[in-house]
Amino acid sequence: MVDLHWADAIAEEVCELRGGDSHVVASGITPSGEIHIGNMREVVTADAVYRALDERGVDVRLIYVADNFDPLRTVYPFLPETYEKEVGKPLFRIPCPCGGHENYAEHFLEPFLESLELLEIDAEVLRADDLYNSGRYRGAIKVALEKRDSIARILEEISHRSLPNGWSPFNPLCPLCERIVGTEVVGFNAREESVEIRCRCGFQGIASIVGGGKLTWRVDWPARWKILGVTVEPFGKDHATRGGSYDTGKRIAEEVYQYEAPYPIVYEWIMLKGKGAMHSSKGVAISINEMLEVVPPEVLRYLIIRSKPEKHIEFDPGVPLLNLIDEYDRRVNPRAHQLSQTRRGEETSIPFRHLVTAVQVARDADALLGILKRSGYEISDLRSVLARAENARRWVERYAPPTLRFRVHERLPQATKSFDSKDRAMFDVLAEKISEWKTPQEIHDGIYSIAKEANVEPKEFFQKIYITLLSTKSGPRLGYFLSSLDNDFLVTRFKEAARE
Ligand SMILES: [Zn+2]
Ligand SMILES: [Zn+2]
């Protein structure tokens, strides 16, 4: 029996536990830095479950919440020192680093939303400032302020930490210094829907609970579940620790908001090979857009969808990425392949590995198409063939190890001077026969039998063929490599090698 894919298993369980009529799958992020491959796990995991529920006929929504009301915690290494004065302000009220976006949060959110489009994740994007300023949190904030003591008790009991005197579930925004850190609530007027606040900067006054601040994270989360009707939510293991924000959120949701906490999907980190978990603040990260220049979006989805959420993913953009693309193309895991597909991802039958060779042989697009045609590949879908070739070209430039990079020499390399008469005789036969062989396999087999007939180790003859072209003893898989090269060129080159 085939194992159910994790997304289907979760969809099934969610429907069993909470009914199969309608669901809301939520995910989100605090856009405080570049949103990278590591962050992508959350939204792709949510999308896989969303698709699985949708296929079961469930009326399902996928939402993505940008926590742009969160404060800037520190001046990250990628920020200029002038951001010192912005620390403690909400991200939506801080200027964007490049000057081209509405605010700091949008600067990081916008490229991410573009990549969501490429990944064909149709999430409804909600921004925390809109939710707060439009009053959607009004009721939840009122309840939180009224039930401050029970919330404080839950937090202390579950998280085993003691809260300071005067703790409030509401973090007011100081109208004077614009900070949300260093402010406190000293009074609450339920009828007026306002709080009395005091700020470290010296400000004292009244703020509305609508737009005048936000709930602290541990209360914001369960409040949001109820406001948005969230029933399923993936989150990183940092929120899933014993006494962590899911544990406290669950209790607060049940006891304060009378709402059942969403079905939790805890996911592990994506590690960057040799560098550990990705953090944009530490510079250990590859942005999603950077990766989408190298791999097709469906393969990036597949990277995440093929692994169970609780397993960590080791991401290596070098040769393992080639293997991943191969695995996707060969449909090794059919259900993961299906959940990863994009409508736009026209599939070409050309293995990426072969494109990696072809783009290094071809000087331009015409030459490339000529090579692919000669090798017998279908190139009628020009747009997607060229897009994939462009991916391959960038991959070679940025991530290919030296063994996969090569340059065909324009003249016969000097190293062929060491060939003996037996070698030259083999090249003579090769020059004669190479035009007869059509496929990479035929080329490979033909070369093999020439060596055998001459009583030479095939491996040695292979090495010498590489020398005549690359001046090195190894190179890309020989059959395909030779089929990528122009036939007349090969005949001339092998004749030269036979002659000297
Ligand atoms: Zn910007
Ligand atoms: Zn202030």
Side-chain angles (χ1 to χ4, degrees):
M1 187 192 136
V2 185
D3 273 349
L4 206 53
H5 187 269
W6 60 262
D8 294 312
I10 288 172
E12 194 175 297
E13 199 175 320
V14 161
C15 290
E16 259 166 40
L17 292 171
R18 308 183 64 138
D21 293 340
S22 67
H23 281 283
V24 175
V25 184
S27 68
I29 198 163
T30 300
S32 56
E34 190 162 50
I35 303 176
H36 52 75
I37 303 281
N39 304 129
M40 206 182 68
R41 186 160 204 181
E42 174 157 318
V43 69
V44 172
T45 301
D47 187 56
V49 175
Y50 164 78
R51 287 191 185 189
L53 283 165
D54 186 54
E55 280 179 27
R56 296 170 71 94
V58 175
D59 177 14
V60 60
R61 289 171 63 201
L62 177 65
I63 57 179
Y64 194 81
V65 182
D67 280 306
N68 62 354
F69 214 128
D70 287 1
L72 181 68
R73 301 266 169 217
T74 175
V75 182
Y76 297 112
F78 54 82
L79 292 172
E81 274 172 36
T82 54
Y83 274 77
E84 191 60 58
K85 63 179 190 298
E86 312 294 342
V87 172
K89 294 183 190 173
L91 300 174
F92 78 97
R93 297 188 66 153
I94 299 174
C96 114
C98 78
H101 299 91
E102 204 180 317
N103 58 54
Y104 184 99
E106 294 307 310
H107 176 85
F108 295 107
L109 210 50
E110 196 176 277
F112 174 69
L113 296 180
E114 277 166 22
S115 61
L116 282 193
E117 226 165 274
L118 287 174
L119 293 161
E120 289 182 16
I121 295 175
D122 304 319
E124 299 166 44
V125 179
L126 304 169
R127 289 166 174 81
D129 66 327
D130 289 337
L131 294 174
Y132 276 102
N133 296 336
S134 68
R136 289 194 67 184
Y137 270 93
R138 182 198 308 262
I141 294 170
K142 246 172 144 169
V143 168
L145 287 164
E146 277 160 357
K147 299 192 174 174
R148 179 223 170 260
D149 293 346
S150 1
I151 293 175
R153 196 164 356 101
I154 293 171
L155 289 177
E156 293 194 318
E157 214 177 281
I158 309 274
S159 67
H160 297 291
R161 49 173 199 178
S162 49
L163 297 173
N165 282 335
W167 176 86
S168 172
F170 188 70
N171 295 334
L173 176 65
C174 173
L176 190 62
C177 71
E178 298 179 75
R179 291 197 169 73
I180 196 167
V181 174
T183 57
E184 57 179 331
V185 172
V186 290
F188 167 49
N189 185 330
R191 205 171 38 87
E192 298 285 330
E193 298 188 340
S194 66
V195 283
E196 211 181 312
I197 72 168
R198 201 156 57 195
C199 176
R200 223 156 33 195
C201 76
F203 177 85
Q204 283 196 44
I206 303 293
S208 167
I209 62 167
V210 174
K214 74 179 286 287
L215 291 170
T216 187
W217 163 244
R218 289 207 182 219
V219 185
D220 176 300
W221 204 17
R224 174 186 303 174
W225 294 338
K226 179 165 184 171
I227 293 166
L228 303 174
V230 179
T231 55
V232 185
E233 183 159 350
F235 47 86
K237 61 175 181 173
D238 53 337
H239 293 304
T241 50
R242 186 190 282 267
S245 50
Y246 182 75
D247 278 1
T248 54
K250 187 169 160 43
R251 279 279 299 275
I252 293 169
E254 285 162 6
E255 291 171 31
V256 177
Y257 292 120
Q258 279 80 50
Y259 186 80
E260 190 186 344
Y263 180 95
I265 306 170
V266 180
Y267 61 84
E268 256 286 353
W269 304 139
I270 298 185
M271 323 290 272
L272 192 55
K273 175 79 178 174
K275 293 191 176 158
M278 286 194 215
H279 294 286
S280 53
S281 61
K282 293 181 190 158
V284 182
I286 298 180
S287 85
I288 300 171
N289 289 320
E290 197 180 333
M291 220 55 248
L292 284 173
E293 289 173 0
V294 173
V295 286
E298 52 275 17
V299 175
L300 216 48
R301 292 177 60 95
Y302 182 73
L303 167 75
I304 290 161
I305 292 177
R306 73 205 262 265
S307 299
K308 287 185 177 158
E310 64 269 27
K311 278 183 141 178
H312 89 256
I313 293 174
E314 176 109 337
F315 182 68
D316 183 341
V319 174
L321 184 63
L322 277 193
N323 298 337
L324 181 74
I325 297 173
D326 277 354
E327 189 186 309
Y328 177 81
D329 287 340
R330 286 186 287 117
R331 301 181 190 223
V332 169
N333 182 335
R335 181 56 176 156
H337 181 277
Q338 195 181 29
L339 287 169
S340 306
Q341 270 175 311
T342 60
R343 291 182 298 277
R344 260 166 301 181
E346 302 94 323
E347 295 186 42
T348 77
S349 57
I350 311 168
F352 195 77
R353 209 176 275 277
H354 291 178
L355 280 173
V356 163
T357 302
V359 294
Q360 294 185 80
V361 170
R363 280 163 211 271
D364 53 33
D366 282 343
L368 176 75
L369 294 173
I371 289 169
L372 296 172
K373 227 187 213 158
R374 275 204 304 283
S375 312
Y377 289 114
E378 176 58 48
I379 55 164
S380 55
D381 186 357
L382 258 191
R383 205 175 63 94
S384 68
V385 170
L386 291 176
R388 263 211 153 182
E390 190 55 20
N391 287 157
R393 200 185 53 73
R394 294 201 190 103
W395 183 82
V396 172
E397 254 172 43
R398 297 177 196 173
Y399 302 111
T403 48
L404 287 180
R405 287 182 210 214
F406 63 85
R407 187 176 65 81
V408 176
H409 283 238
E410 283 174 23
R411 290 170 198 286
L412 188 69
Q414 289 293 318
T416 55
K417 293 221 183 305
S418 64
F419 289 2
D420 60 21
S421 57
K422 208 170 186 182
D423 297 333
R424 296 188 191 286
M426 286 192 295
F427 276 104
D428 214 23
V429 183
L430 181 59
E432 205 175 289
K433 296 220 164 153
I434 186 83
S435 320
E436 293 169 18
W437 305 322
K438 298 294 172 230
T439 66
Q441 189 63 45
E442 276 174 34
I443 296 174
H444 178 275
D445 296 346
I447 292 171
Y448 194 90
S449 50
I450 293 178
K452 276 284 173 206
E453 272 164 38
N455 254 329
V456 169
E457 263 306 309
K459 199 178 139 212
E460 274 174 39
F461 189 33
F462 277 52
Q463 289 176 348
K464 282 172 179 150
I465 295 171
Y466 286 122
I467 289 174
T468 62
L469 298 163
L470 307 173
S471 189
T472 54
K473 285 183 174 177
S474 61
R477 269 186 257 176
L478 194 58
Y480 179 75
F481 180 43
L482 296 188
S483 81
S484 307
L485 292 164
D486 178 73
N487 202 267
D488 294 341
F489 164 79
L490 284 178
V491 172
T492 312
R493 178 61 52 98
F494 296 147
K495 274 185 182 159
E496 281 170 2
R499 222 179 292 138
E500 288 215 8

